[in-house]
Amino acid sequence: MSEISKTVFVLNGPNLNLLGLREPEIYGSTTLDEIAGMLEDRALELGLTIDMRQTNHEGMLVDWLHEAQAQGARAVLINAGAYTHTSIALLDAAKAITTPVIEVHISDPKTRESFRHTSYIGMAAAKTVEGHGPQSYLIALEAVASGEV
């Protein structure tokens, strides 16, 4: 019997490299590096490891979803940024893998502009965590650790 992977991919899409600077009234002042540190600390406590990545390119996110499957990742947490609302390619990639995908958002898209109310990632995600600020990532990680997804 094979051992369950301890690696959780955390994929971040466009403009998330600007967290802490970008629209702090919506996204707060916590940077992506600070979120990575919080996740790494909590993952260590939970016996997991984090593979945290960010790109502004849609195809790279698709490739990373495929890579998570190929490497036998335990789960993928993905904050696809604006691609959440536009990318059928990400929907198809998430549907194509058996690795559980958890959609993560710092803000709550359903309380924002109407074009943010549709989530293609959410159509394939095992769970969505949104609207809890940077804690959304930790809530998602806890769901993985508890076996919820």
Side-chain angles (χ1 to χ4, degrees), residues 56-123:
N56 291 318
H57 304 281
E58 181 180 26
M60 186 62 71
L61 289 168
V62 170
D63 289 344
W64 288 343
L65 284 166
H66 297 173
E67 184 182 341
Q69 172 80 16
Q71 289 190 11
R74 177 118 168 228
V76 175
L77 312 184
I78 184 167
N79 183 342
Y83 292 138
T84 299
H85 319 292
T86 64
S87 182
I88 294 169
L90 285 176
L91 167 63
D92 288 347
K95 286 172 54 176
I97 64 174
T98 58
T99 305
V101 174
I102 301 177
E103 176 185 28
V104 176
H105 296 287
I106 292 170
S107 69
D108 182 351
K110 292 187 293 297
T111 65
R112 298 182 59 200
E113 304 93 339
S114 62
F115 68 85
R116 296 186 194 276
H117 297 181
T118 299
S119 170
Y120 288 105
I121 290 289
M123 293 175 190

Side-chain angles (χ1 to χ4, degrees), residues 2-84:
S2 64
E3 187 176 316
I4 296 174
S5 174
K6 295 180 179 187
T7 302
V8 177
F9 277 48
V10 182
L11 308 181
N12 295 279
N15 301 308
L16 290 166
N17 56 306
L18 298 177
L19 283 178
L21 301 173
R22 175 184 175 225
E23 297 177 281
E25 66 281 3
I26 295 172
Y27 301 108
S29 59
T30 306
T31 68
L32 194 59
D33 285 342
E34 290 169 334
I35 292 170
M38 293 174 7
L39 281 170
E40 288 167 4
D41 290 347
R42 186 64 183 131
L44 184 62
E45 294 169 357
L46 296 169
L48 299 171
T49 59
I50 297 298
D51 186 338
M52 181 94 160
R53 304 174 183 196
Q54 188 278 327
T55 183
N56 291 318
H57 304 281
E58 181 180 26
M60 186 62 71
L61 289 168
V62 170
D63 289 344
W64 288 343
L65 284 166
H66 297 173
E67 184 182 341
Q69 172 80 16
Q71 289 190 11
R74 177 118 168 228
V76 175
L77 312 184
I78 184 167
N79 183 342
Y83 292 138
T84 299

